[in-house]
Amino acid sequence: MSERLSHLRLAAVNIDGVLLNDSFSPVIHHFIVSRGGTYTPDIERRIFSQPRSIAGRRMAEVVQAAMTGQEALDAYFAERAAYLEKHPVFIQDGAIDMMRRLKELGLQTVCYGGLDKTHFDEHLGTHAGLFDGPGYVCTNDFRPGIAEITMGVFGLAYDQVLFIDDVAAVAQEARSLDVPFIGHPSSFSGSFQRQLMQEAGVRHLVDSLHAVDEDRLRTVDAEAATRTVWAG
C-alpha cells in the first residue's frame, strides 16, 4: 500500500479527452473547415471549454453562417452523432489504472465535463465506485468550473486540488488561481492544445495517462505544498 500524498486532497479529472477519447476536436475542426472557415489556435481558445450556448454562437460567427448559435450547436451535435457511429467513444488506455492510483495515494476523486451526467453514466458508470462526492459534475453552466468544484462541491483550498484536463483554457484558469494541474492535450492532428498549454506555462504535460504515475503525482504534491506548481 502506497503512502498517502501529504498535501493534495482531491483529483478532479476531465471526462472527454482524459478519461474518454477526444470526440470533440475532430468534429469542431470539420464543422469549421467544411464550411470554409480557417481553423486556428484562436478558434480553439474561443470555443473550447465554453458553455454550449457560447460555443454555438462562436462557431456560427467563425464560419459566418446564416444560423443562430443554437442552430450551429444543433448542427454540430448532429455531425458529432454521425462521427460517433464510425468512431465510438471509449475509455482511454491507462484511465482506470490512473484513477485507482489516485485513490491508492489517498485522494478523493471526481469527474467533470460539459455534458450531462448521462454521458458519464453511459461510459463510466461501471467504474462509478472510483469517484467520490457526486461522482460527476456537469460544468456547462460554470465553465471551466475550477472554483465551483474546489470550493463549492468539496470545500477545499485551491492548492489542495489537482485538475487533469485536455484543454488549455482550463490550464490558464488553474494558473490564475495557482491550482495544481496536469495537461493531457489531444492527439488529434489538427489540435493546438499542446501548443496553447505550453504557452500557458503548463509544466506537467503528458501524452499518456500511464505517465501520471506515482513519481509525478508525488512531485505535484510537493509542489502544491510549496505553491510552486506554476513556478518558472
Side-chain angles (χ1 to χ4, degrees):
M1 183 72 178
S2 298
E3 182 180 349
R4 290 170 172 254
L5 299 182
S6 63
H7 189 81
L8 292 170
R9 295 292 177 266
L10 171 71
V13 187
N14 179 246
I15 187 167
D16 292 294
V18 180
L19 295 178
L20 305 179
N21 59 305
D22 174 16
S23 60
F24 287 86
S25 298
V27 184
I28 293 173
H29 182 276
H30 180 265
F31 180 95
I32 291 168
V33 300
S34 67
R35 289 168 172 81
T38 302
Y39 196 81
T40 66
D42 186 59
I43 285 174
E44 288 196 344
R45 285 193 187 96
R46 295 176 59 201
I47 293 174
F48 283 30
S49 287
Q50 296 295 326
R52 291 192 288 270
S53 60
I54 294 175
R57 185 175 72 248
R58 290 180 177 174
M59 284 193 290
E61 292 170 353
V62 166
V63 298
Q64 299 181 344
M67 63 174 70
T68 65
Q70 186 59 52
E71 288 170 340
L73 202 61
D74 291 343
Y76 161 76
F77 275 109
E79 292 181 14
R80 183 170 180 269
Y83 175 85
L84 292 178
E85 289 182 3
K86 296 182 179 179
H87 309 277
V89 171
F90 59 85
I91 297 175
Q92 298 246 64
D93 180 46
I96 301 307
D97 286 344
M98 180 185 73
M99 295 310 303
R100 289 175 177 149
R101 189 177 308 120
L102 293 168
K103 300 292 289 181
E104 289 170 357
L105 290 172
L107 298 183
Q108 288 185 286
T109 58
V110 70
C111 183
Y112 67 92
L115 296 183
D116 296 337
K117 188 175 181 293
T118 53
H119 182 55
F120 172 86
D121 293 338
E122 178 181 359
H123 298 290
L124 288 166
T126 56
H127 300 286
L130 291 172
F131 302 89
D132 299 295
Y136 177 79
V137 178
C138 174
T139 56
N140 181 61
D141 293 334
F142 45 79
R143 305 201 82 170
I146 291 177
E148 291 80 1
I149 292 171
T150 299
M151 297 188 295
V153 178
F154 286 91
L156 295 169
Y158 286 133
D159 57 291
Q160 293 178 306
V161 182
L162 166 64
F163 276 77
I164 305 175
D165 205 289
D166 67 321
V167 175
V170 182
Q172 290 171 328
E173 180 73 1
R175 179 165 191 165
S176 72
L177 299 171
D178 204 12
V179 169
F181 183 86
I182 294 175
H184 180 263
S186 175
S187 61
F188 172 57
S189 59
S191 174
F192 293 101
Q193 289 306 299
R194 169 172 285 278
Q195 171 189 328
L196 294 175
M197 282 193 188
Q198 290 171 333
E199 291 174 2
V202 176
R203 295 172 56 241
H204 295 281
L205 273 174
V206 298
D207 293 319
S208 164
L209 298 180
H210 293 292
V212 186
D213 57 17
E214 183 171 341
D215 286 346
R216 185 181 298 275
L217 290 167
R218 291 197 180 280
T219 296
V220 174
D221 184 59
E223 291 174 350
T226 56
R227 307 293 290 271
T228 56
V229 174
W230 294 96

